[in-house]
Amino acid sequence: MSRVLGEPAVLDDVGPPRRGRAYPAAGTTSTLLLPALLLLGGLVAWPVLRTLHASVTTDGRWVGAEHFRTALGAPGTGAVVGRTLLWALLVPAVVTVLGYLLAAASRRSQEGGLVRLILVVPTALPLVVTGVTFRLMYDPDPERGLATLVAATLTGRSAADAPQLLGPGLVTVALMSAFVWAWVGLAVLVFRAALDAVPPSLADAVRAYGGNRRDVLWDAQWRPLLLRTVAVVFTLAALGTARTFDLILVMTPGSVRDEASVLALRVWQTSNGATTGEGAALGVVWLVAVAAGLLVAALFVRQAWPPPRDPAPVAPEAAPAPRRTTRLLVAGAAVAWLVPLGVLLATSLHGPVDAAARGWWWSPPSLDSYRDLLTGTELWGTLGFTLVLATVVTAVVLGVALLAAYPLAWLTGPPAQATGLLLMAASIVPVQVIAGPVNEVLGVALSSGTARGLALVHVALGVPFAVLVLRNAFADLPAEQVRAARVGGRHWWGTLRLLARHNRPAVVAVAVLEFVQVWNDLVVGLLFSGPGALPLGLFLAGQTRGFAANSGALAAGSVIASILPVLLVVLARRQLVAGLVAGGVR
């Protein structure tokens, strides 16, 4: 930067637009990337390599595919792998189809805003709370389980012959229904953003060439945007199914857990957080499957999303009155999504004895469960610990991610694409696969099972996704804002501060998602916490051991645990979508 007529001027801002206007110097780049590289190298990359090594060795001795043959040949493993594939294909398809239908229907409905708000609430709930909610609703006793009572009534069966929704034959379907309930809201938000981003000029151009309504739908919506949006939503849901560990562990009774088991649970059962040959082999199989899905998804989402808005927007035409079937679909979705929330809240408003003996509809409401829970010290202790943990982890992840995203945003071509793939891969590494090696690292650097170690693991797992989102958002900034940041910032930290201000939705999205992720977590706490570090998810999961006797306190604790994440997601839902889709996946 130099001065021309007393005014600052950027000398490299000539010629065609390029991303390199605001890149830091080479030495500064290394310094900015160092924290992220240390975290990802020590707690993600090395543990993955250690798992690969353990899968083909025993005490340092090469054994080849022996562990794979033993693990895959164990009784029930074939069913576990098949069930995992079913989760990865069927459930994301259902989430994607329902998300699109509800987004399109609620867009034209007068009640659309309220329906979308109702659908978003389950997205913010911890999966532990979702598991508690549906286990209450699917309780096999018709006097306690609302869904079982309704199923028995509709089929005309007695209480003894009522369909067992958590029995061996239907437990997987019950689990899938809970997952779909929790994830459809996110799909609706993304599809709604995609539909709103379609330039009206595209539809006008199709009509000008004689296109009918079907041509407008295909050529002006699906081909330019919605096909890629489908890939994004399907990929997000498919990756989410790899994290159903919390749901299965909490929602399924111990007697049918093997009938519901997937690789996420089998790896944990086989290795129990240690580095074992058979557990490592199953983990490698899981990693290969996830990596294959990642590469396929990258073919569809590698371009920017959504496209820029029409520079000269046309005044929207008056929306036609929604059809009766559309309004019924919207109203039915709202009622269906409210029922589980109503069951959880109603159960929490009954005393421990009433909640354990009969369903919520048999006795008048009471605050005894809340009173018993709030007068104790254990809940307050775990709430305070989780709040501090989530706040500290969010602050550290945001700081490390901003530093790393700043130099990475100006990469172009193959280096940018390779960096994006590596960040995506690091974001989706299942923690069960690397739990043993991570504990080995923590045993050297810190005391394993401490609050510091737990926080460090959360930071390492959160950094890749945060860097990916912020890097894409920085790279998507208009050239004028980049110039202004370059001129206004005397040093790299000044430029970074101005760029972060321009990308406030992405910063808010990263902060909210990371806080909610840590607050809602179970699996990381289960694998890495110790006696002095009891997070909220682990506390709630511990109460499910005597589920019927503790159902009142569990429901009350679940309601309390859900208040903060629901508020954050609902209040920041627009920033979440805007931040997540800024720049697409480059």
Side-chain angles (χ1 to χ4, degrees):
M1 186 171 67
S2 180
R3 285 188 172 272
V4 178
L5 299 178
E7 296 294 332
V10 182
L11 296 182
D12 66 348
D13 193 19
V14 293
R18 57 192 181 92
R19 294 187 190 176
R21 293 186 179 88
Y23 65 87
T28 303
T29 296
S30 302
T31 303
L32 296 178
L33 292 176
L34 184 60
L37 290 176
L38 289 176
L39 285 167
L40 297 182
L43 293 175
V44 179
W46 186 88
V48 168
L49 295 177
R50 177 73 178 89
T51 299
L52 291 172
H53 179 264
S55 68
V56 294
T57 61
T58 299
D59 297 328
R61 178 175 52 87
W62 176 267
V63 296
E66 179 180 333
H67 294 315
F68 289 91
R69 287 192 294 266
T70 302
L72 295 176
T77 301
V80 168
V81 174
R83 205 175 293 118
T84 303
L85 292 175
L86 185 66
W87 269 94
L89 297 176
L90 177 61
V91 175
V94 173
V95 169
T96 303
V97 172
L98 274 179
Y100 172 73
L101 291 177
L102 292 174
S106 63
R107 191 185 182 202
R108 298 192 301 268
S109 171
Q110 297 176 352
E111 306 85 4
L114 178 60
V115 171
R116 288 192 298 274
L117 183 62
I118 293 172
L119 295 177
V120 166
V121 170
T123 303
L125 296 180
L127 276 180
V128 174
V129 172
T130 301
V132 170
T133 301
F134 277 80
R135 188 164 176 182
L136 288 170
M137 197 165 66
Y138 291 160
D139 192 291
D141 185 353
E143 292 196 354
R144 290 171 43 84
L146 178 63
T148 306
L149 174 64
V150 172
T153 303
L154 293 177
T155 58
R157 299 183 183 182
S158 63
D161 297 329
Q164 299 297 302
L165 298 173
L166 292 179
L170 295 175
V171 64
T172 297
V173 176
L175 287 165
M176 289 180 175
S177 68
F179 184 89
V180 169
W181 179 79
W183 274 74
V184 160
L186 179 62
V188 170
L189 287 180
V190 176
F191 273 117
R192 176 59 191 271
L195 290 169
D196 290 345
V198 175
S201 57
L202 290 180
D204 295 339
V206 174
R207 293 191 189 98
Y209 281 93
N212 55 26
R213 187 174 182 179
R214 182 177 299 177
D215 296 327
V216 170
L217 177 65
W218 175 249
D219 292 325
Q221 291 186 2
W222 280 96
R223 286 180 62 187
L225 179 61
L226 290 182
L227 280 177
R228 195 180 306 132
T229 307
V230 166
V232 171
V233 173
F234 189 94
T235 302
L236 288 174
L239 297 177
T241 61
R243 301 185 178 182
T244 54
F245 177 89
D246 303 16
L247 193 63
I248 295 175
L249 196 65
V250 171
M251 186 173 162
T252 57
S255 58
V256 298
R257 193 161 292 158
D258 287 342
E259 283 75 12
S261 181
V262 293
L263 279 174
L265 188 66
R266 179 60 68 91
V267 170
W268 174 70
Q269 291 173 329
T270 303
S271 60
N272 196 23
T275 307
T276 63
E278 294 180 22
L282 286 177
V284 170
V285 173
W286 193 4
L287 282 174
V288 170
V290 170
L294 170 66
L295 290 175
V296 172
L299 297 177
F300 293 93
V301 301
R302 66 181 183 272
Q303 297 179 11
W305 184 95
R309 290 183 176 272
D310 190 357
V314 180
E317 299 178 0
R323 298 179 181 179
R324 185 177 180 182
T325 54
T326 299
R327 301 196 67 172
L328 288 175
L329 174 65
V330 172
V335 172
W337 259 253
L338 280 175
V339 169
L341 295 174
V343 169
L344 179 66
L345 183 60
T347 304
S348 72
L349 292 175
H350 285 77
V353 176
D354 290 338
R358 295 186 298 179
W360 51 269
W361 58 90
W362 292 105
S363 57
S366 165
L367 295 176
D368 289 347
S369 292
Y370 284 100
R371 189 177 298 112
D372 293 347
L373 197 62
L374 295 175
T375 54
T377 59
E378 193 173 9
L379 176 64
W380 291 110
T382 190
L383 281 174
F385 173 79
T386 307
L387 179 61
V388 173
L389 176 69
T391 303
V392 171
V393 168
T394 300
V396 175
V397 166
L398 194 58
V400 173
L402 281 170
L403 295 179
Y406 174 48
L408 293 178
W410 319 118
L411 295 176
T412 57
Q417 295 176 0
T419 303
L421 285 175
L422 289 175
L423 289 171
M424 288 180 65
S427 301
I428 61 176
V429 171
V431 66
Q432 297 96 316
V433 174
I434 60 174
V438 169
N439 271 317
E440 295 174 5
V441 174
L442 294 179
V444 174
L446 297 166
S447 298
S448 183
T450 63
R452 291 178 301 167
L454 181 62
L456 193 61
V457 174
H458 273 299
V459 170
L461 295 176
V463 162
F465 181 74
V467 174
L468 183 64
V469 172
L470 293 174
R471 182 204 72 149
N472 293 343
F474 283 170
D476 198 47
L477 281 176
E480 294 76 14
Q481 291 183 345
V482 176
R483 291 192 190 98
R486 178 66 168 166
V487 171
R490 289 178 175 271
H491 305 284
W492 66 263
W493 55 84
T495 305
L496 173 58
R497 178 178 57 83
L498 293 173
L499 291 175
R501 183 182 300 175
H502 293 316
N503 276 299
R504 189 170 300 169
V507 174
V508 171
V510 167
V512 171
L513 289 176
E514 185 60 32
F515 186 95
V516 170
Q517 172 66 29
V518 178
W519 181 275
N520 292 350
D521 170 70
L522 168 62
V523 62
V524 176
L526 181 66
L527 293 171
F528 302 104
S529 66
L534 183 64
L536 187 57
L538 195 57
F539 169 78
L540 292 176
Q543 305 299 311
T544 61
R545 294 189 180 96
F547 191 89
N550 293 331
S551 57
L554 256 175
S558 297
V559 171
I560 293 172
S562 303
I563 293 174
L564 184 55
V566 167
L567 283 176
L568 288 174
V569 170
V570 168
L571 293 176
R573 62 189 184 278
R574 290 184 177 87
Q575 289 88 346
L576 287 178
V577 175
L580 288 177
V581 303
V585 179
R586 296 181 184 271

